PDB file of all heavy atoms in Angstrom:
ATOM      1  N   ILE A 226      -0.571  -6.873  -6.649  1.00  0.00           N
ATOM      2  CA  ILE A 226      -1.977  -6.492  -6.789  1.00  0.00           C
ATOM      3  C   ILE A 226      -2.182  -5.731  -8.097  1.00  0.00           C
ATOM      4  O   ILE A 226      -1.251  -5.075  -8.596  1.00  0.00           O
ATOM      5  CB  ILE A 226      -2.456  -5.655  -5.581  1.00  0.00           C
ATOM      6  CG1 ILE A 226      -1.674  -4.342  -5.467  1.00  0.00           C
ATOM      7  CG2 ILE A 226      -2.338  -6.467  -4.298  1.00  0.00           C
ATOM      8  CD1 ILE A 226      -2.180  -3.441  -4.336  1.00  0.00           C
ATOM      9  N   PRO A 227      -3.391  -5.788  -8.670  1.00  0.00           N
ATOM     10  CA  PRO A 227      -3.618  -5.203  -9.995  1.00  0.00           C
ATOM     11  C   PRO A 227      -3.962  -3.714 -10.003  1.00  0.00           C
ATOM     12  O   PRO A 227      -4.010  -3.107 -11.080  1.00  0.00           O
ATOM     13  CB  PRO A 227      -4.798  -6.029 -10.523  1.00  0.00           C
ATOM     14  CG  PRO A 227      -5.566  -6.403  -9.300  1.00  0.00           C
ATOM     15  CD  PRO A 227      -4.528  -6.599  -8.219  1.00  0.00           C
ATOM     16  N   GLN A 228      -4.213  -3.100  -8.844  1.00  0.00           N
ATOM     17  CA  GLN A 228      -4.609  -1.690  -8.826  1.00  0.00           C
ATOM     18  C   GLN A 228      -3.486  -0.796  -9.364  1.00  0.00           C
ATOM     19  O   GLN A 228      -2.300  -1.068  -9.158  1.00  0.00           O
ATOM     20  CB  GLN A 228      -4.966  -1.237  -7.402  1.00  0.00           C
ATOM     21  CG  GLN A 228      -6.328  -1.719  -6.917  1.00  0.00           C
ATOM     22  CD  GLN A 228      -6.303  -3.117  -6.343  1.00  0.00           C
ATOM     23  OE1 GLN A 228      -5.303  -3.834  -6.450  1.00  0.00           O
ATOM     24  NE2 GLN A 228      -7.399  -3.532  -5.718  1.00  0.00           N
ATOM     25  N   ARG A 229      -3.889   0.278 -10.009  1.00  0.00           N
ATOM     26  CA  ARG A 229      -2.951   1.247 -10.566  1.00  0.00           C
ATOM     27  C   ARG A 229      -3.393   2.670 -10.216  1.00  0.00           C
ATOM     28  O   ARG A 229      -4.541   2.888  -9.804  1.00  0.00           O
ATOM     29  CB  ARG A 229      -2.872   1.087 -12.100  1.00  0.00           C
ATOM     30  CG  ARG A 229      -2.328  -0.278 -12.559  1.00  0.00           C
ATOM     31  CD  ARG A 229      -0.861  -0.449 -12.141  1.00  0.00           C
ATOM     32  NE  ARG A 229      -0.305  -1.716 -12.631  1.00  0.00           N
ATOM     33  CZ  ARG A 229      -0.266  -2.842 -11.939  1.00  0.00           C
ATOM     34  NH1 ARG A 229      -0.788  -2.883 -10.713  1.00  0.00           N
ATOM     35  NH2 ARG A 229       0.285  -3.926 -12.439  1.00  0.00           N
ATOM     36  N   GLU A 230      -2.477   3.644 -10.377  1.00  0.00           N
ATOM     37  CA  GLU A 230      -2.813   5.024 -10.096  1.00  0.00           C
ATOM     38  C   GLU A 230      -3.973   5.465 -11.006  1.00  0.00           C
ATOM     39  O   GLU A 230      -4.060   5.022 -12.150  1.00  0.00           O
ATOM     40  CB  GLU A 230      -1.593   5.934 -10.335  1.00  0.00           C
ATOM     41  CG  GLU A 230      -0.451   5.752  -9.356  1.00  0.00           C
ATOM     42  CD  GLU A 230       0.490   4.606  -9.731  1.00  0.00           C
ATOM     43  OE1 GLU A 230       0.209   3.888 -10.733  1.00  0.00           O
ATOM     44  OE2 GLU A 230       1.500   4.429  -9.053  1.00  0.00           O
ATOM     45  N   PRO A 231      -4.873   6.304 -10.480  1.00  0.00           N
ATOM     46  CA  PRO A 231      -4.797   6.935  -9.164  1.00  0.00           C
ATOM     47  C   PRO A 231      -5.445   6.124  -8.043  1.00  0.00           C
ATOM     48  O   PRO A 231      -5.673   6.647  -6.960  1.00  0.00           O
ATOM     49  CB  PRO A 231      -5.562   8.243  -9.388  1.00  0.00           C
ATOM     50  CG  PRO A 231      -6.630   7.854 -10.374  1.00  0.00           C
ATOM     51  CD  PRO A 231      -5.994   6.838 -11.281  1.00  0.00           C
ATOM     52  N   PHE A 232      -5.753   4.840  -8.333  1.00  0.00           N
ATOM     53  CA  PHE A 232      -6.474   4.058  -7.334  1.00  0.00           C
ATOM     54  C   PHE A 232      -5.581   3.071  -6.585  1.00  0.00           C
ATOM     55  O   PHE A 232      -6.085   2.219  -5.855  1.00  0.00           O
ATOM     56  CB  PHE A 232      -7.651   3.323  -7.987  1.00  0.00           C
ATOM     57  CG  PHE A 232      -8.851   3.234  -7.087  1.00  0.00           C
ATOM     58  CD1 PHE A 232      -9.567   4.372  -6.738  1.00  0.00           C
ATOM     59  CD2 PHE A 232      -9.260   2.022  -6.564  1.00  0.00           C
ATOM     60  CE1 PHE A 232     -10.674   4.297  -5.895  1.00  0.00           C
ATOM     61  CE2 PHE A 232     -10.361   1.928  -5.727  1.00  0.00           C
ATOM     62  CZ  PHE A 232     -11.067   3.068  -5.392  1.00  0.00           C
ATOM     63  N   LEU A 233      -4.286   3.177  -6.757  1.00  0.00           N
ATOM     64  CA  LEU A 233      -3.364   2.389  -5.936  1.00  0.00           C
ATOM     65  C   LEU A 233      -3.219   3.114  -4.605  1.00  0.00           C
ATOM     66  O   LEU A 233      -2.636   4.200  -4.531  1.00  0.00           O
ATOM     67  CB  LEU A 233      -2.013   2.251  -6.624  1.00  0.00           C
ATOM     68  CG  LEU A 233      -0.936   1.437  -5.889  1.00  0.00           C
ATOM     69  CD1 LEU A 233      -1.412   0.014  -5.617  1.00  0.00           C
ATOM     70  CD2 LEU A 233       0.361   1.429  -6.687  1.00  0.00           C
ATOM     71  N   MET A 234      -3.751   2.532  -3.555  1.00  0.00           N
ATOM     72  CA  MET A 234      -3.910   3.238  -2.281  1.00  0.00           C
ATOM     73  C   MET A 234      -2.863   2.896  -1.231  1.00  0.00           C
ATOM     74  O   MET A 234      -2.987   3.329  -0.082  1.00  0.00           O
ATOM     75  CB  MET A 234      -5.310   2.965  -1.709  1.00  0.00           C
ATOM     76  CG  MET A 234      -6.455   3.347  -2.637  1.00  0.00           C
ATOM     77  SD  MET A 234      -6.480   5.115  -3.040  1.00  0.00           S
ATOM     78  CE  MET A 234      -6.838   5.819  -1.433  1.00  0.00           C
ATOM     79  N   ILE A 235      -1.856   2.137  -1.572  1.00  0.00           N
ATOM     80  CA  ILE A 235      -0.774   1.877  -0.617  1.00  0.00           C
ATOM     81  C   ILE A 235       0.561   2.269  -1.246  1.00  0.00           C
ATOM     82  O   ILE A 235       0.782   2.087  -2.437  1.00  0.00           O
ATOM     83  CB  ILE A 235      -0.754   0.404  -0.149  1.00  0.00           C
ATOM     84  CG1 ILE A 235      -0.685  -0.563  -1.326  1.00  0.00           C
ATOM     85  CG2 ILE A 235      -1.975   0.094   0.704  1.00  0.00           C
ATOM     86  CD1 ILE A 235      -0.623  -2.023  -0.908  1.00  0.00           C
ATOM     87  N   ASP A 236       1.429   2.829  -0.415  1.00  0.00           N
ATOM     88  CA  ASP A 236       2.724   3.328  -0.887  1.00  0.00           C
ATOM     89  C   ASP A 236       3.893   2.448  -0.466  1.00  0.00           C
ATOM     90  O   ASP A 236       4.947   2.471  -1.102  1.00  0.00           O
ATOM     91  CB  ASP A 236       2.961   4.745  -0.348  1.00  0.00           C
ATOM     92  CG  ASP A 236       1.927   5.730  -0.860  1.00  0.00           C
ATOM     93  OD1 ASP A 236       1.729   5.786  -2.088  1.00  0.00           O
ATOM     94  OD2 ASP A 236       1.301   6.429  -0.037  1.00  0.00           O
ATOM     95  N   GLU A 237       3.705   1.700   0.603  1.00  0.00           N
ATOM     96  CA  GLU A 237       4.810   0.887   1.132  1.00  0.00           C
ATOM     97  C   GLU A 237       4.245  -0.332   1.834  1.00  0.00           C
ATOM     98  O   GLU A 237       3.204  -0.256   2.498  1.00  0.00           O
ATOM     99  CB  GLU A 237       5.644   1.713   2.116  1.00  0.00           C
ATOM    100  CG  GLU A 237       6.782   0.956   2.781  1.00  0.00           C
ATOM    101  CD  GLU A 237       7.484   1.771   3.859  1.00  0.00           C
ATOM    102  OE1 GLU A 237       7.293   2.991   3.909  1.00  0.00           O
ATOM    103  OE2 GLU A 237       8.222   1.162   4.654  1.00  0.00           O
ATOM    104  N   VAL A 238       4.929  -1.452   1.686  1.00  0.00           N
ATOM    105  CA  VAL A 238       4.582  -2.668   2.427  1.00  0.00           C
ATOM    106  C   VAL A 238       5.722  -2.955   3.397  1.00  0.00           C
ATOM    107  O   VAL A 238       6.861  -3.148   2.984  1.00  0.00           O
ATOM    108  CB  VAL A 238       4.362  -3.870   1.483  1.00  0.00           C
ATOM    109  CG1 VAL A 238       4.116  -5.140   2.288  1.00  0.00           C
ATOM    110  CG2 VAL A 238       3.189  -3.599   0.548  1.00  0.00           C
ATOM    111  N   GLU A 239       5.398  -2.947   4.676  1.00  0.00           N
ATOM    112  CA  GLU A 239       6.431  -3.196   5.692  1.00  0.00           C
ATOM    113  C   GLU A 239       6.775  -4.683   5.764  1.00  0.00           C
ATOM    114  O   GLU A 239       7.930  -5.063   5.799  1.00  0.00           O
ATOM    115  CB  GLU A 239       5.954  -2.707   7.056  1.00  0.00           C
ATOM    116  CG  GLU A 239       6.983  -2.879   8.160  1.00  0.00           C
ATOM    117  CD  GLU A 239       6.490  -2.334   9.482  1.00  0.00           C
ATOM    118  OE1 GLU A 239       6.619  -1.114   9.706  1.00  0.00           O
ATOM    119  OE2 GLU A 239       5.965  -3.128  10.285  1.00  0.00           O
ATOM    120  N   GLU A 240       5.736  -5.508   5.794  1.00  0.00           N
ATOM    121  CA  GLU A 240       5.954  -6.955   5.825  1.00  0.00           C
ATOM    122  C   GLU A 240       4.652  -7.673   5.480  1.00  0.00           C
ATOM    123  O   GLU A 240       3.571  -7.106   5.601  1.00  0.00           O
ATOM    124  CB  GLU A 240       6.451  -7.426   7.192  1.00  0.00           C
ATOM    125  CG  GLU A 240       5.462  -7.245   8.318  1.00  0.00           C
ATOM    126  CD  GLU A 240       5.961  -7.765   9.647  1.00  0.00           C
ATOM    127  OE1 GLU A 240       7.125  -7.510   9.977  1.00  0.00           O
ATOM    128  OE2 GLU A 240       5.180  -8.436  10.349  1.00  0.00           O
ATOM    129  N   TYR A 241       4.794  -8.903   5.033  1.00  0.00           N
ATOM    130  CA  TYR A 241       3.604  -9.717   4.807  1.00  0.00           C
ATOM    131  C   TYR A 241       3.977 -11.190   4.875  1.00  0.00           C
ATOM    132  O   TYR A 241       5.119 -11.584   4.631  1.00  0.00           O
ATOM    133  CB  TYR A 241       2.951  -9.395   3.464  1.00  0.00           C
ATOM    134  CG  TYR A 241       3.741  -9.796   2.241  1.00  0.00           C
ATOM    135  CD1 TYR A 241       3.543 -11.035   1.630  1.00  0.00           C
ATOM    136  CD2 TYR A 241       4.672  -8.936   1.677  1.00  0.00           C
ATOM    137  CE1 TYR A 241       4.255 -11.402   0.500  1.00  0.00           C
ATOM    138  CE2 TYR A 241       5.387  -9.288   0.546  1.00  0.00           C
ATOM    139  CZ  TYR A 241       5.177 -10.519  -0.045  1.00  0.00           C
ATOM    140  OH  TYR A 241       5.886 -10.883  -1.157  1.00  0.00           O
ATOM    141  N   ILE A 242       2.994 -11.997   5.233  1.00  0.00           N
ATOM    142  CA  ILE A 242       3.118 -13.447   5.217  1.00  0.00           C
ATOM    143  C   ILE A 242       2.029 -13.960   4.284  1.00  0.00           C
ATOM    144  O   ILE A 242       0.843 -13.773   4.559  1.00  0.00           O
ATOM    145  CB  ILE A 242       2.945 -14.063   6.613  1.00  0.00           C
ATOM    146  CG1 ILE A 242       3.973 -13.482   7.587  1.00  0.00           C
ATOM    147  CG2 ILE A 242       3.091 -15.580   6.545  1.00  0.00           C
ATOM    148  CD1 ILE A 242       3.807 -13.968   9.016  1.00  0.00           C
ATOM    149  N   PRO A 243       2.392 -14.554   3.149  1.00  0.00           N
ATOM    150  CA  PRO A 243       1.389 -15.007   2.183  1.00  0.00           C
ATOM    151  C   PRO A 243       0.298 -15.858   2.830  1.00  0.00           C
ATOM    152  O   PRO A 243       0.576 -16.819   3.544  1.00  0.00           O
ATOM    153  CB  PRO A 243       2.221 -15.820   1.183  1.00  0.00           C
ATOM    154  CG  PRO A 243       3.576 -15.188   1.235  1.00  0.00           C
ATOM    155  CD  PRO A 243       3.769 -14.830   2.684  1.00  0.00           C
ATOM    156  N   GLY A 244      -0.940 -15.441   2.594  1.00  0.00           N
ATOM    157  CA  GLY A 244      -2.082 -16.183   3.113  1.00  0.00           C
ATOM    158  C   GLY A 244      -2.419 -15.909   4.559  1.00  0.00           C
ATOM    159  O   GLY A 244      -3.405 -16.428   5.076  1.00  0.00           O
ATOM    160  N   GLU A 245      -1.627 -15.047   5.227  1.00  0.00           N
ATOM    161  CA  GLU A 245      -1.853 -14.834   6.653  1.00  0.00           C
ATOM    162  C   GLU A 245      -2.031 -13.371   7.048  1.00  0.00           C
ATOM    163  O   GLU A 245      -2.987 -13.033   7.750  1.00  0.00           O
ATOM    164  CB  GLU A 245      -0.701 -15.435   7.472  1.00  0.00           C
ATOM    165  CG  GLU A 245      -0.626 -16.948   7.401  1.00  0.00           C
ATOM    166  CD  GLU A 245       0.382 -17.512   8.377  1.00  0.00           C
ATOM    167  OE1 GLU A 245       0.698 -16.841   9.376  1.00  0.00           O
ATOM    168  OE2 GLU A 245       0.868 -18.625   8.135  1.00  0.00           O
ATOM    169  N   SER A 246      -1.129 -12.490   6.637  1.00  0.00           N
ATOM    170  CA  SER A 246      -1.214 -11.112   7.117  1.00  0.00           C
ATOM    171  C   SER A 246      -0.386 -10.174   6.254  1.00  0.00           C
ATOM    172  O   SER A 246       0.467 -10.609   5.468  1.00  0.00           O
ATOM    173  CB  SER A 246      -0.733 -11.022   8.571  1.00  0.00           C
ATOM    174  OG  SER A 246       0.641 -11.382   8.658  1.00  0.00           O
ATOM    175  N   ALA A 247      -0.632  -8.870   6.454  1.00  0.00           N
ATOM    176  CA  ALA A 247       0.155  -7.847   5.768  1.00  0.00           C
ATOM    177  C   ALA A 247       0.108  -6.557   6.576  1.00  0.00           C
ATOM    178  O   ALA A 247      -0.890  -6.255   7.241  1.00  0.00           O
ATOM    179  CB  ALA A 247      -0.366  -7.609   4.353  1.00  0.00           C
ATOM    180  N   VAL A 248       1.206  -5.816   6.510  1.00  0.00           N
ATOM    181  CA  VAL A 248       1.292  -4.487   7.123  1.00  0.00           C
ATOM    182  C   VAL A 248       1.791  -3.528   6.053  1.00  0.00           C
ATOM    183  O   VAL A 248       2.868  -3.731   5.484  1.00  0.00           O
ATOM    184  CB  VAL A 248       2.251  -4.467   8.336  1.00  0.00           C
ATOM    185  CG1 VAL A 248       2.314  -3.060   8.932  1.00  0.00           C
ATOM    186  CG2 VAL A 248       1.810  -5.469   9.392  1.00  0.00           C
ATOM    187  N   ALA A 249       0.985  -2.501   5.762  1.00  0.00           N
ATOM    188  CA  ALA A 249       1.338  -1.555   4.707  1.00  0.00           C
ATOM    189  C   ALA A 249       1.071  -0.130   5.185  1.00  0.00           C
ATOM    190  O   ALA A 249       0.494   0.091   6.253  1.00  0.00           O
ATOM    191  CB  ALA A 249       0.534  -1.857   3.442  1.00  0.00           C
ATOM    192  N   TYR A 250       1.495   0.842   4.353  1.00  0.00           N
ATOM    193  CA  TYR A 250       1.322   2.255   4.705  1.00  0.00           C
ATOM    194  C   TYR A 250       0.804   3.047   3.515  1.00  0.00           C
ATOM    195  O   TYR A 250       1.142   2.761   2.361  1.00  0.00           O
ATOM    196  CB  TYR A 250       2.646   2.867   5.161  1.00  0.00           C
ATOM    197  CG  TYR A 250       3.167   2.312   6.467  1.00  0.00           C
ATOM    198  CD1 TYR A 250       4.069   1.256   6.479  1.00  0.00           C
ATOM    199  CD2 TYR A 250       2.746   2.831   7.688  1.00  0.00           C
ATOM    200  CE1 TYR A 250       4.546   0.733   7.668  1.00  0.00           C
ATOM    201  CE2 TYR A 250       3.217   2.316   8.879  1.00  0.00           C
ATOM    202  CZ  TYR A 250       4.115   1.273   8.870  1.00  0.00           C
ATOM    203  OH  TYR A 250       4.585   0.756  10.047  1.00  0.00           O
ATOM    204  N   LYS A 251      -0.016   4.043   3.833  1.00  0.00           N
ATOM    205  CA  LYS A 251      -0.449   5.037   2.879  1.00  0.00           C
ATOM    206  C   LYS A 251      -0.003   6.398   3.402  1.00  0.00           C
ATOM    207  O   LYS A 251      -0.365   6.789   4.509  1.00  0.00           O
ATOM    208  CB  LYS A 251      -1.971   5.003   2.725  1.00  0.00           C
ATOM    209  CG  LYS A 251      -2.568   6.203   2.000  1.00  0.00           C
ATOM    210  CD  LYS A 251      -2.160   6.247   0.545  1.00  0.00           C
ATOM    211  CE  LYS A 251      -2.788   7.444  -0.167  1.00  0.00           C
ATOM    212  NZ  LYS A 251      -2.266   7.602  -1.540  1.00  0.00           N
ATOM    213  N   TYR A 252       0.822   7.102   2.622  1.00  0.00           N
ATOM    214  CA  TYR A 252       1.281   8.440   3.009  1.00  0.00           C
ATOM    215  C   TYR A 252       0.301   9.450   2.430  1.00  0.00           C
ATOM    216  O   TYR A 252       0.293   9.704   1.218  1.00  0.00           O
ATOM    217  CB  TYR A 252       2.696   8.676   2.500  1.00  0.00           C
ATOM    218  CG  TYR A 252       3.703   7.725   3.099  1.00  0.00           C
ATOM    219  CD1 TYR A 252       4.169   6.619   2.377  1.00  0.00           C
ATOM    220  CD2 TYR A 252       4.173   7.912   4.388  1.00  0.00           C
ATOM    221  CE1 TYR A 252       5.077   5.738   2.932  1.00  0.00           C
ATOM    222  CE2 TYR A 252       5.089   7.029   4.955  1.00  0.00           C
ATOM    223  CZ  TYR A 252       5.532   5.946   4.218  1.00  0.00           C
ATOM    224  OH  TYR A 252       6.430   5.071   4.771  1.00  0.00           O
ATOM    225  N   VAL A 253      -0.529  10.004   3.289  1.00  0.00           N
ATOM    226  CA  VAL A 253      -1.599  10.889   2.843  1.00  0.00           C
ATOM    227  C   VAL A 253      -1.038  12.296   2.656  1.00  0.00           C
ATOM    228  O   VAL A 253      -0.535  12.906   3.609  1.00  0.00           O
ATOM    229  CB  VAL A 253      -2.754  10.907   3.869  1.00  0.00           C
ATOM    230  CG1 VAL A 253      -3.907  11.762   3.359  1.00  0.00           C
ATOM    231  CG2 VAL A 253      -3.228   9.485   4.161  1.00  0.00           C
ATOM    232  N   ASN A 254      -1.110  12.814   1.430  1.00  0.00           N
ATOM    233  CA  ASN A 254      -0.607  14.165   1.170  1.00  0.00           C
ATOM    234  C   ASN A 254      -1.711  15.040   0.594  1.00  0.00           C
ATOM    235  O   ASN A 254      -2.744  14.549   0.106  1.00  0.00           O
ATOM    236  CB  ASN A 254       0.605  14.131   0.234  1.00  0.00           C
ATOM    237  CG  ASN A 254       0.254  13.635  -1.145  1.00  0.00           C
ATOM    238  OD1 ASN A 254      -0.325  14.367  -1.945  1.00  0.00           O
ATOM    239  ND2 ASN A 254       0.598  12.374  -1.444  1.00  0.00           N
ATOM    240  N   GLU A 255      -1.490  16.333   0.613  1.00  0.00           N
ATOM    241  CA  GLU A 255      -2.540  17.279   0.227  1.00  0.00           C
ATOM    242  C   GLU A 255      -2.830  17.262  -1.269  1.00  0.00           C
ATOM    243  O   GLU A 255      -3.841  17.829  -1.716  1.00  0.00           O
ATOM    244  CB  GLU A 255      -2.145  18.697   0.647  1.00  0.00           C
ATOM    245  CG  GLU A 255      -0.838  19.182   0.039  1.00  0.00           C
ATOM    246  CD  GLU A 255      -0.426  20.540   0.557  1.00  0.00           C
ATOM    247  OE1 GLU A 255      -1.061  21.024   1.507  1.00  0.00           O
ATOM    248  OE2 GLU A 255       0.518  21.109   0.001  1.00  0.00           O
ATOM    249  N   GLU A 256      -1.995  16.591  -2.053  1.00  0.00           N
ATOM    250  CA  GLU A 256      -2.213  16.525  -3.501  1.00  0.00           C
ATOM    251  C   GLU A 256      -3.098  15.351  -3.920  1.00  0.00           C
ATOM    252  O   GLU A 256      -3.331  15.151  -5.116  1.00  0.00           O
ATOM    253  CB  GLU A 256      -0.859  16.421  -4.229  1.00  0.00           C
ATOM    254  CG  GLU A 256       0.082  17.588  -3.965  1.00  0.00           C
ATOM    255  CD  GLU A 256      -0.512  18.926  -4.389  1.00  0.00           C
ATOM    256  OE1 GLU A 256      -1.191  18.969  -5.437  1.00  0.00           O
ATOM    257  OE2 GLU A 256      -0.310  19.916  -3.671  1.00  0.00           O
TER     258      GLU A 256
END
């Protein structure tokens, strides 16, 4: 994906199937 900091909003991708689905994570911190 083309997004970059500070607007890259996902930190980890657990799994994905191209064209079908994705599971990702955002670790929300106080900074």
